[in-house]
């Protein structure tokens, strides 16, 4: 009789609660880490709502959050997430700020969604570090916390194991990225599919500030068709010139329209699709490295290894060792576009 391998312990996540936190961010954190999806292959999580005491925490709209742990539980957490604020000048309770400082000193990963960056700044944890918040709050964060190095053009950013995210939807991006970072691309994709959202969104926050949507609907439709075509032919040696030709545009015009629509360049987008495809294959198959490199369109294992090192700070073999859940490979071409984690890296490091 086969002996089942012991299951890894649940990843412990703390949602820090105090009056003034945003209900939306609480919902995002709860949806990502508070829903049991182990029957679909997602990892097990242990999400706790942590506050100064057990008093219900009021939120806008007549809602209230009921804590199930006090701040002492933060010492056990693998990840601590701070929701955004309805009023960005809301002072966090002193015990919360002290607990966040202690957690960072212990090496615990901290993350703040949207205006949650103001809470981390109150604690002094962003002094001298890079951080991001909603584009409409950037000047406010700079003015009231001048020691923070505010970066305006990322969806989320990390500095010294402290993560911050831009506006509302970017909080979802960061939460999924933190899952991907700890558990692999397939785990994040499983949760994203359940939430009916993109597991890896394209571009930077800048696209939501100044750039309008494409002027002509036909341009948007054309670019969407080009991306779909690229995903289905990723194993081929595609170039930006190839994609421009498929769109019926000059390379220069294509690059301009593509960047305006997605917030990233065609070359960067294409490379990110190749990396995401390789990640999937490393996690889900036992294919040899040269075959994975071919299917992902890198051409050679050496090229794939170089891009993994520069973009993911790891090697394909190390990535497989960390996240592999082998499954039989099928077919000889590129993975179907439905199985590809889409989008370019929204992270600034």
């Amino acid at each position: 009789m086969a002996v089942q391998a012991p299951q890894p312990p649940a990843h412990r996540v703390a949602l820090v609660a105090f009056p003034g936190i945003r209900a939306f961010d609480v919902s995002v954190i709860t949806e990502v880490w508070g829903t049991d999806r182990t029957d679909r292959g997602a990892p097990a999580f242990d999400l706790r709502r942590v506050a100064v005491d057990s008093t219900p925490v009021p939120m806008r709209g007549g809602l209230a959050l009921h804590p199930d742990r006090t701040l002492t539980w933060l010492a056990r957490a693998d990840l601590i997430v701070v929701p955004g604020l309805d009023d960005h000048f809301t002072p966090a309770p002193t015990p919360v700020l002290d607990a966040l400082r202690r957690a960072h000193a212990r090496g615990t990963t901290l993350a703040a969604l949207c205006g949650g960056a103001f809470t981390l700044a109150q604690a002094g944890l962003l002094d001298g570090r890079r951080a991001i918040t909603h584009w409409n709050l950037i000047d406010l964060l700079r003015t009231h916390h001048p020691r923070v190095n505010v970066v305006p053009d990322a969806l989320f950013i990390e500095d010294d194991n402290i993560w911050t995210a831009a506006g509302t939807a970017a909080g979802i991006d960061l939460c999924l990225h933190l899952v991907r970072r700890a558990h692999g691309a397939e785990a994040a994709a499983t949760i994203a599919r359940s939430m009916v959202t993109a597991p890896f969104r394209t571009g930077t926050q800048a696209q939501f500030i100044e750039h309008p949507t494409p002027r002509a609907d036909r341009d948007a439709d054309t670019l969407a068709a080009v991306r779909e075509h690229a995903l289905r032919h990723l194993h081929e040696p595609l170039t930006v010139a190839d994609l421009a030709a498929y769109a019926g545009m000059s390379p220069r015009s294509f690059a301009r329209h593509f960047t305006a629509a997605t917030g990233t360049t065609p070359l960067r987008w294409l490379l990110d699709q190749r990396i995401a495809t390789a990640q999937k294959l490393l996690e889900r198959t036992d294919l040899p490295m040269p075959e994975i490199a071919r299917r992902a369109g890198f051409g050679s294992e050496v090229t794939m290894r170089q891009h993994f090192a520069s973009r993911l700070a790891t090697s394909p073999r190390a990535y497989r060792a960390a996240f592999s859940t082998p499954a039989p490979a099928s077919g000889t071409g590129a993975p179907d576009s439905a199985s590809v984690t889409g989008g370019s890296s929204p992270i600034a490091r």
Side-chain angles (χ1 to χ4, degrees), residues 14-327:
L15 186 166
V16 176
F18 55 89
I21 58 173
R22 295 179 71 225
F24 180 88
D25 292 347
V26 169
S27 298
V28 168
I29 296 165
T30 303
E31 183 64 27
V32 172
W33 286 291
T35 302
D36 184 359
R37 300 183 180 91
T38 52
D39 61 330
R40 282 164 273 178
F45 301 117
D46 181 10
L47 175 67
R48 299 294 174 174
R49 298 173 294 275
V50 176
V52 174
D53 54 39
S54 60
T55 305
V57 175
M59 296 185 293
R60 183 176 290 178
L63 303 174
L65 181 148
H66 294 265
D68 52 18
R69 292 292 185 275
T70 61
L71 294 171
T72 56
W73 196 82
L74 296 185
R76 302 180 56 196
D78 302 302
L79 169 66
I80 298 171
V81 189
V82 181
L85 307 168
D86 285 321
D87 179 349
H88 306 291
F89 295 114
T90 299
T94 299
V96 168
L97 300 179
D98 290 339
L100 291 173
R101 295 185 194 105
R102 289 193 298 270
H104 180 255
R106 286 193 302 269
T108 305
T109 301
L110 303 182
L113 310 189
C114 193
F118 284 80
T119 299
L120 296 184
Q122 286 177 40
L125 291 171
L126 299 183
D127 288 354
R129 297 188 174 100
R130 293 175 301 156
I132 187 65
T133 188
H134 189 286
W135 60 265
N136 199 38
L137 302 173
I138 285 173
D139 289 340
L140 198 65
L141 184 59
R142 283 175 172 156
T143 299
H144 291 273
H145 299 281
R147 297 186 64 185
V148 180
N149 181 10
V150 182
V151 179
D153 59 354
L155 292 180
F156 51 85
I157 192 169
E158 180 267 346
D159 194 331
D160 195 22
N161 209 25
I162 298 176
W163 297 81
T164 49
T168 306
I172 300 174
D173 297 321
L174 174 55
C175 291
L176 291 174
H177 178 76
L178 291 170
V179 172
R180 183 166 51 248
R181 179 174 174 261
H183 305 283
E186 183 61 21
T190 297
I191 295 172
R193 282 192 294 270
S194 176
M195 295 173 64
V196 197
T197 190
F200 213 81
R201 206 153 50 114
T202 297
T204 67
Q205 182 172 202
Q207 64 188 303
F208 304 107
I209 304 172
E210 298 292 346
H211 299 294
T213 54
R215 293 181 181 179
D217 288 343
R218 70 175 187 277
D219 287 344
D221 292 341
T222 296
L223 293 173
V226 168
R227 293 195 293 271
E228 182 179 357
H229 170 77
L231 291 176
R232 294 190 180 279
H233 296 270
L234 207 60
H235 58 292
E236 299 175 6
L238 294 172
T239 65
V240 174
D242 293 332
L243 299 182
Y246 186 85
M249 301 179 186
S250 70
R252 185 173 180 178
S253 177
F254 172 73
R256 185 174 67 254
H257 285 286
F258 192 99
T259 302
T262 67
T264 191
T265 67
L267 183 61
R268 183 185 177 97
W269 181 89
L270 190 59
L271 174 59
D272 285 330
Q273 306 318 306
R274 298 195 190 286
I275 290 174
T277 298
Q279 287 178 294
K280 285 273 191 178
L281 292 171
L282 289 165
E283 290 183 27
R284 300 173 66 180
T285 77
D286 58 1
L287 290 169
M289 293 295 169
E291 178 62 12
I292 289 178
R294 185 192 72 80
R295 293 194 185 197
F298 285 113
S300 74
E301 182 182 351
V302 172
T303 301
M304 179 173 71
R305 189 164 59 243
Q306 290 171 340
H307 286 300
F308 262 66
S310 63
R311 300 298 291 276
L312 302 178
T314 189
S315 69
R317 293 183 188 278
Y319 186 90
R320 169 174 272 173
F323 299 118
S324 176
T325 52

